[in-house]
Amino acid sequence: MLPTPHQSPQAAVVPVQRASSREHAGPWHSEAVCRRDEAGLFFAPSKEPTAARLSREQAAKRVCARCPVLVECREHALLQPEPYGVWGGLTAAERRVVLARRRRRDADLGQSAQVSRIA
């Protein structure tokens, strides 16, 4: 159930997409701090105002910062790739930046390898 416009973001329910992808992700997810009480912090309710979104995302990142499986969660979100929510301390926009940097790095490494083989 998604929150109504008058509900706080903390009252939101985690979409089925996150729950189902976690079930298949591996054993790391059982240790995730977000599985406890703060699940509503990680996904935006519809038509969330910008200030509320930024505040919610910062609160979600604080939860992630104390999570023992932050790295595993982040890699899962980058490999899937998860298009929504805060995963591994990164928003969807931040994950897109990380993925773009990885693609550029991989392309640069591929070009460097070709140049060294030619020379």
Side-chain angles (χ1 to χ4, degrees), residues 42-61:
F42 297 88
F43 292 92
S46 64
K47 300 182 182 175
E48 182 180 33
T50 301
R53 177 182 55 81
L54 294 173
S55 176
R56 179 187 49 75
E57 288 174 347
Q58 286 305 311
K61 288 178 178 188

Side-chain angles (χ1 to χ4, degrees), residues 10 37 56 65 68 79 100 106 111-112 117-118:
Q10 289 80 4
D37 299 324
R56 179 187 49 75
L79 293 172
D106 292 346
Q111 289 175 354
S112 296
R117 279 187 255 157
I118 294 172

Side-chain angles (χ1 to χ4, degrees), residues 8-14 18 34 37-45 48 52-64 66 85-87 91:
S8 69
Q10 289 80 4
V13 175
V14 176
R18 181 171 181 146
C34 63
D37 299 324
E38 300 95 351
L41 291 175
F42 297 88
F43 292 92
E48 182 180 33
R53 177 182 55 81
L54 294 173
S55 176
R56 179 187 49 75
E57 288 174 347
Q58 286 305 311
K61 288 178 178 188
R62 285 191 297 274
V63 172
C64 292
R66 61 184 163 87
V86 175
W87 287 78
T91 64

Side-chain angles (χ1 to χ4, degrees), residues 21-97:
S21 63
R22 278 188 151 184
E23 290 171 7
H24 304 294
W28 66 266
H29 61 84
S30 64
E31 300 298 319
V33 173
C34 63
R35 288 183 60 99
R36 296 182 186 112
D37 299 324
E38 300 95 351
L41 291 175
F42 297 88
F43 292 92
S46 64
K47 300 182 182 175
E48 182 180 33
T50 301
R53 177 182 55 81
L54 294 173
S55 176
R56 179 187 49 75
E57 288 174 347
Q58 286 305 311
K61 288 178 178 188
R62 285 191 297 274
V63 172
C64 292
R66 61 184 163 87
C67 185
V69 293
L70 179 138
V71 173
E72 294 88 342
C73 180
R74 181 177 293 173
E75 284 305 310
H76 163 82
L78 292 167
L79 293 172
Q80 283 305 313
E82 292 290 349
Y84 305 107
V86 175
W87 287 78
L90 298 176
T91 64
E94 292 166 336
R95 289 191 303 277
R96 286 190 295 272
V97 170

